[in-house]
Amino acid sequence: MSKKALSGLKVVEYGHFISAPYCTKLMADMGAEVIKIEQPSTGDESRYHGPFPDDLPHPEKSGLFLYLNTNKMSITLDVGTAKGREILEKILKDTDIFVENNPPQMINELKLDYPRLKKLNPHLIVTSITTYGQTGPYRDYKGYAINCCAFGGVSQSLGHNWREPLTFPMSMGHYLAAINGAAATMVAILARDITNSGQHIDIAEADIWASHHVGFGVTLYTFIGREHLRNGYLGGGWTYPTGRLIPCKDGYMALCAPQVKYWKQFIELMGNPEWSQNPRYRDRRAMEYEYPEEVDALLTPWFLERTKQEHFKFFEEHAIPFAPLYNMEDEVNDPHLTEREFFTDIDHDAIGRLKYPGPPYRFSKTQWSLERPAPKLGENNEEIYCDRLGYSKKDFVELRKAKVI
Amino acid sequence: MAQYPLQGYRVVDFGSAWAGAQITHMLADMGAEVIKVESRTRIDYARLGGVPTPKDLIDKSPEAIAVAYPEHLELNPLFHLLNRGKLGITVDFTTQKGADLLRDLIKRSDVVADNFTPGVLDKYGLGYESLVQIKSDIIVVSLCLAGHTGPLKGTRGYAPIITALAGLDSMVGYADESTPSGTRFAFGDHVAATHGALAILIALIHRNRTGEGQYIDISEWEAVTSLLGEPLMDYIMNSRIQGPVGNRNTNMAPHGFYPCKGEQEWVSIAIKTDEEWHNFCHAIGNPKWTEDNKFRDRLNRTDNYEALDKLVGQWTANYTPYEVTEILQESGVAAAPFMISKEQHNNPHFRERETFIEVEHPKAGAETLYGIPWKLSETPGGIRSSGPLLGQDNEHVFKELLGLSQSAYDRLVEEKVIY
């Protein structure tokens, strides 16, 4: 086993689906010990989400669950029961980080609110990832990823301004909230080394969209009165081509060259077509703001002559920053990602050997790694309850009978 | 300390544009001393991008504008947004003396961050291999489009190229259009920056415990692709290539944006469980159509989502997005208005959470920036200043921090090393 940056850090996850699990995966993949608490007999809802091999649902074969829960342990525990509560408290007394993504109301009902947990363990860092956060008038509103896209303001820049807006696919906001939650938690670890006390971290998915992603739109609104971001890339201010997708022989090419030198070079490489001399196609700002589709159409015949790989190679040779639009097949088979060993093969009892997508970053001394596959439901019950917490085999059977675990 | 958890950490910031700037402002928000390195020979392009450039300046380089129209470089609120809380110095590291000054500064720093194309800093003796000789526990994080190894390591590209190469944009769009619409904002930059900030924090934890620094290579492409586990696993398991699905969700219906009273007014509604469905039906007054067998359970609703969407849309069209939200939320149904920037600015929820705040800039005046979305109860951080003026902290950094005498400083200014 290689040296890990977060080894020794004890994390408990009491969450479901994407945001809390991805947050703790980020820690587990860097060496933290993550105990995932799942509801007895059902477990994390992502176990039922898929994708499944041949589309046949099976709680140990969900691609989303397998991907989000690498390097973790799973125990089943009903924290709503008195006995379950007692066990959870035992665990949390010896925990550094508690990550949860439940509605604030539910956490209050379960008496798992921060003031109570702080009394239990003042060193504990509690990271709550929710839709709207722990404060504010919408705190108790119900919300799924699409509602966060709406309220967080990202949907205003997805899709066309003459049609219905779009949600970000794949519940992407959950992942973003998770990364931000992990980063804020690491800040709290650094702070704890000095203050010797834990704290509560409140991450709202709607805030994350509204700030780091499209918060610049509010800055532009107050600065120049641009009310929305529906008209295109960065709400304008750029010159053609700023993020156009142009069809080619076998897919699409993505074009972005706000700097004039690339555009000039590209026009030259196309052989200075006659239209490029027309003043209408020399005003790159008007081209981007007013008639980008018209310019796309002028470029299309040239692009249709070659495949995306042929184009990519050509643009690479000329150092022009245009690239193909990849799909998931392209990702899995890409030679660059292959050479960087982006995908890792790991074995799993229920599903066998599969490729898993890899690291968001490469550390030179403490590498990201997948040491173990996602756990089966309650896979580590005996290890945690008997070996670590000291329950006898007899207690263990009782707990199971009472459906506490 | 109580307010600023990262107080005492010094970061030398070669970052520019979006990702490079955002990665370190997150650390500055938490109290780190981030020193942004620019030079009149190498100006952050973000000083220009994003807001309309005066017509006569379009396609002029920032360096030319620095000479002809220097005020313009201090007026872009997006630059202030991405560089808030940082100090600013100007030093030309392509000169020997400039590189030496920076090495001296890095000797007293914890972290170096950059988003150059691979090799730029190495050329001037400022790459990790050189820096580790003078500061053995330095943490260097280097971010670029495709990472620092592999056949495409030198590839350049702006944000739309990241999400294209990463495969994300192939799945963003309408199901009934052949061309995906893509993300259309700098999503790839933001994701890489957040991963980058997280990586730096993890490396600091490790260094504080072991005394060991390290080098971190970030590929913006991989930072995005690493989030696509769901469609990647589908391809790996089933050889299925997912494409754009619009607002369709295989587990939820209704799920989408529904038209409301007015022009381009929309409300988002998402219903997963049967309980939520019954609450929804009740909230809208149990019209006859809700009893249709086609909608009786989740499976039927997701199968018949198009018919359902039409009927839901007919109901929402009678109300404003806020009215629909209120009616449905009262019954425990997930709904939220479609918000544009203007509405977000005035929204009471965001106001109470200080999602947007005003920060004073010495040249541009008060500007609205986004606040700090990491809400830490005990050590919340804070935005101590707006983005730096070009070279505003030269005297402080070179004289007070590095101890240059006034005459040595003046000489370096004259020689355009500090420039």
Side-chain angles (χ1 to χ4, degrees):
Chain A
M1 202 182 280
S2 56
K3 184 168 54 178
K4 310 290 292 217
L6 298 181
S7 60
L9 216 53
K10 291 182 175 171
V11 181
V12 171
E13 172 202 312
Y14 181 58
H16 55 90
F17 202 40
I18 293 171
S19 65
Y22 188 63
C23 181
T24 60
K25 170 184 163 68
L26 288 163
M27 300 177 201
D29 292 349
M30 294 307 286
E33 177 199 276
V34 177
I35 299 176
K36 182 180 178 76
I37 297 178
E38 297 190 75
Q39 197 58 32
S41 77
T42 50
D44 190 328
E45 66 178 269
S46 67
R47 291 182 180 275
Y48 305 90
H49 184 85
F52 300 102
D54 302 322
D55 297 326
L56 297 172
H58 184 293
E60 301 299 350
K61 294 184 181 179
S62 159
L64 182 65
F65 179 85
L66 292 170
Y67 153 70
L68 286 172
N69 293 285
T70 50
N71 288 328
K72 298 182 195 174
M73 295 191 277
S74 161
I75 60 171
T76 50
L77 182 65
D78 185 350
V79 304
T81 62
K83 190 73 190 167
R85 169 88 192 182
E86 181 193 311
I87 295 174
L88 178 65
E89 290 193 358
K90 250 189 199 177
I91 295 172
L92 290 183
K93 272 185 188 156
D94 186 31
T95 294
D96 299 291
I97 297 165
F98 180 62
V99 179
E100 61 94 10
N101 64 344
N102 305 285
Q105 260 176 341
M106 176 186 151
I107 284 292
N108 281 341
E109 280 160 21
L110 285 169
K111 301 192 167 61
L112 288 173
D113 51 287
Y114 179 65
R116 276 202 182 81
L117 296 181
K118 185 182 178 179
K119 258 183 227 148
L120 184 73
N121 176 0
H123 302 290
L124 187 67
I125 292 158
V126 176
T127 302
S128 298
I129 305 174
T130 56
T131 306
Y132 296 110
Q134 307 291 317
T135 61
Y138 296 0
R139 182 187 106 122
D140 294 321
Y141 270 16
K142 189 161 196 159
Y144 290 105
I146 189 173
N147 309 111
C148 276
C149 288
F151 183 67
V154 67
S155 285
Q156 63 175 323
S157 55
L158 296 175
H160 308 309
N161 59 9
W162 62 87
R163 282 192 67 167
E164 76 276 17
L166 293 174
T167 185
F168 218 108
M170 295 162 286
S171 306
M172 186 54 66
H174 296 347
Y175 294 89
L176 306 174
I179 312 167
N180 282 279
T185 306
M186 295 303 110
V187 171
I189 289 287
L190 288 165
R192 192 182 67 168
D193 287 344
I194 297 164
T195 62
N196 206 25
S197 69
Q199 54 182 317
H200 189 201
I201 296 166
D202 165 16
I203 300 285
E205 188 174 322
D207 277 354
I208 299 298
W209 279 127
S211 57
H212 289 164
H213 296 275
V214 293
F216 71 92
V218 172
T219 302
L220 287 180
Y221 165 62
T222 54
F223 186 68
I224 50 171
R226 183 177 294 144
E227 295 185 355
H228 58 76
L229 302 173
R230 295 207 72 183
N231 291 338
Y233 198 71
L234 294 186
W238 295 91
T239 44
Y240 190 92
T242 311
R244 307 301 305 171
L245 291 173
I246 310 290
C248 64
K249 204 175 195 174
D250 61 344
Y252 294 89
M253 288 296 290
L255 272 53
C256 184
Q259 281 158 312
V260 69
K261 64 175 178 183
Y262 296 123
W263 178 249
K264 280 188 176 156
Q265 196 187 346
F266 168 60
I267 292 291
E268 217 163 276
L269 288 167
M270 284 179 78
N272 292 310
E274 211 178 307
W275 59 261
S276 67
Q277 309 307 314
N278 182 340
R280 185 169 171 83
Y281 307 118
R282 299 177 76 91
D283 182 346
R284 293 198 309 135
R285 185 188 287 172
M287 285 153 67
E288 178 68 24
Y289 279 118
E290 291 162 34
Y291 38 87
E293 287 85 4
E294 189 184 311
V295 190
D296 292 353
L298 289 169
L299 301 181
T300 300
W302 187 86
F303 276 95
L304 281 174
E305 283 170 25
R306 285 169 212 88
T307 65
K308 52 191 177 187
Q309 283 307 336
E310 287 165 354
H311 280 303
F312 196 22
K313 191 160 170 271
F314 178 78
F315 289 127
E316 279 291 293
E317 277 165 16
H318 292 93
I320 291 179
F322 298 165
L325 176 66
Y326 270 1
N327 60 33
M328 293 303 103
E329 180 178 39
D330 298 323
E331 297 300 327
V332 174
N333 299 315
D334 179 74
H336 178 72
L337 293 184
T338 304
E339 186 165 319
R340 283 172 63 83
E341 299 179 341
F342 179 72
F343 291 95
T344 309
D345 287 324
I346 38 176
D347 289 309
H348 182 278
D349 287 353
I351 200 165
R353 196 169 181 79
L354 283 182
K355 269 189 205 316
Y356 288 73
Y361 27 58
R362 316 299 183 112
F363 284 59
S364 64
K365 305 265 177 62
T366 57
Q367 285 175 17
W368 182 100
S369 62
L370 296 184
E371 314 261 340
R372 55 200 283 175
K376 282 174 281 172
L377 183 61
E379 180 176 326
N380 307 93
N381 276 351
E382 201 168 331
E383 182 184 343
I384 299 297
Y385 292 127
C386 300
D387 303 349
R388 191 172 301 183
L389 297 178
Y391 288 98
S392 67
K393 287 273 143 63
K394 191 169 148 257
D395 295 336
F396 185 67
V397 173
E398 289 299 317
L399 287 170
R400 190 178 277 166
K401 265 194 204 145
K403 295 193 173 149
V404 171
I405 68 172
Chain B
M1 171 64 210
Q3 183 172 1
Y4 297 106
L6 297 185
Q7 196 164 19
Y9 292 102
R10 183 171 294 139
V11 179
V12 176
D13 177 17
F14 290 99
S16 64
W18 281 76
Q22 210 169 19
I23 192 172
T24 44
H25 96 53
M26 295 183 197
L27 305 178
D29 286 353
M30 291 287 122
E33 182 188 272
V34 178
I35 303 175
K36 185 178 179 77
V37 181
E38 290 179 271
S39 148
R40 283 181 172 74
T41 59
R42 190 185 285 272
I43 287 167
D44 186 347
Y45 198 77
R47 285 188 183 273
L48 298 181
V51 287
T53 313
K55 201 129 200 183
D56 52 325
L57 297 182
I58 288 183
D59 293 338
K60 294 250 181 343
S61 74
E63 291 75 18
I65 292 171
V67 175
Y69 187 14
E71 318 86 85
H72 185 68
L73 297 175
E74 305 297 357
L75 297 177
N76 185 347
L78 298 189
F79 177 82
H80 307 152
L81 179 74
L82 293 168
N83 294 282
R84 77 267 193 97
K86 300 181 187 178
L87 306 183
I89 61 173
T90 49
V91 50
D92 182 359
F93 63 73
T94 65
T95 65
Q96 182 67 42
K97 283 181 186 172
D100 284 344
L101 269 182
L102 287 173
R103 272 190 291 273
D104 200 18
L105 179 61
I106 290 165
K107 221 184 277 181
R108 300 154 207 246
S109 303
D110 302 282
V111 175
V112 176
D114 82 272
N115 64 331
F116 287 122
T117 11
V120 171
L121 286 176
D122 299 299
K123 205 163 121 191
Y124 302 103
L126 292 165
Y128 179 71
E129 297 309 326
S130 316
L131 297 180
V132 79
Q133 305 297 322
I134 53 168
K135 177 83 163 74
S136 61
D137 64 352
I138 194 77
I139 293 163
V140 174
V141 58
S142 233
L143 177 147
C144 65
L145 179 70
H148 294 73
T149 61
L152 293 175
K153 70 176 177 185
T155 300
R156 295 152 184 262
Y158 295 92
I161 302 301
I162 304 171
T163 39
L165 265 179
L168 175 63
D169 282 352
S170 72
M171 296 176 286
V172 180
Y174 297 93
D176 57 2
E177 289 185 6
S178 57
T179 305
S181 50
T183 34
R184 302 171 82 222
F185 68 107
F187 182 76
D189 280 339
H190 312 154
V191 167
T194 319
H195 274 128
L198 170 62
I200 291 171
L201 293 161
I202 291 173
L204 282 171
I205 290 172
H206 178 73
R207 190 209 63 180
N208 287 359
R209 290 189 182 164
T210 63
E212 183 176 70
Q214 55 188 318
Y215 172 74
I216 301 163
D217 166 21
I218 298 187
S219 149
E220 296 178 293
W221 168 0
E222 290 170 352
V224 173
T225 306
S226 70
L227 302 182
L228 306 182
E230 189 181 334
L232 282 169
M233 296 306 270
D234 201 14
Y235 177 76
I236 290 162
M237 289 172 165
N238 300 314
S239 304
R240 182 186 292 131
I241 300 170
Q242 295 190 10
V245 294
N247 290 318
R248 200 187 162 195
N249 184 301
T250 47
N251 290 311
M252 290 193 241
H255 182 273
F257 284 89
Y258 299 90
C260 292
K261 246 197 249 170
E263 269 296 293
Q264 287 295 323
E265 296 283 352
W266 306 90
V267 67
S268 65
I269 300 173
I271 289 175
K272 193 171 193 173
T273 64
D274 289 341
E275 190 193 342
E276 289 168 354
W277 169 248
H278 293 308
N279 292 344
F280 173 79
C281 297
H282 178 75
I284 69 168
N286 291 314
K288 198 88 196 120
W289 62 263
T290 56
E291 289 160 29
D292 194 323
N293 241 351
K294 280 195 303 220
F295 309 135
R296 70 177 180 277
D297 58 22
R298 185 156 97 177
L299 214 62
N300 275 287
R301 286 192 300 278
T302 48
D303 279 352
N304 298 302
Y305 74 99
E306 277 173 311
L308 183 55
D309 280 348
K310 239 176 236 143
L311 291 161
V312 172
Q314 283 165 13
W315 176 75
T316 55
N318 301 311
Y319 303 95
T320 69
Y322 294 89
E323 286 165 352
V324 172
T325 300
E326 210 164 295
I327 294 169
L328 295 185
Q329 287 287 356
E330 234 163 69
S331 299
V333 174
F338 165 72
M339 299 267 246
I340 57 174
S341 302
K342 179 186 176 182
E343 292 166 276
Q344 289 189 302
H345 181 236
N346 297 314
N347 181 273
H349 184 74
F350 287 135
R351 201 173 312 132
E352 185 170 327
R353 291 180 62 78
E354 298 185 328
T355 305
F356 307 105
I357 55 168
E358 277 205 352
V359 177
E360 192 70 25
H361 183 272
K363 299 279 186 200
E367 294 172 327
T368 304
L369 311 182
Y370 58 73
I372 302 175
W374 306 350
K375 309 283 185 206
L376 281 76
S377 62
E378 305 304 312
T379 61
I383 299 171
R384 293 161 293 176
S385 60
S386 187
L389 303 173
L390 199 56
Q392 71 171 31
D393 300 292
N394 280 344
E395 300 218 1
H396 166 70
V397 170
F398 295 118
K399 285 169 23 187
E400 283 167 47
L401 211 67
L402 300 187
L404 285 188
S405 68
Q406 184 66 45
S407 59
Y409 176 84
D410 290 343
R411 208 162 41 244
L412 288 170
V413 171
E414 204 169 297
E415 292 169 358
K416 295 194 171 176
V417 171
I418 298 172
Y419 175 66

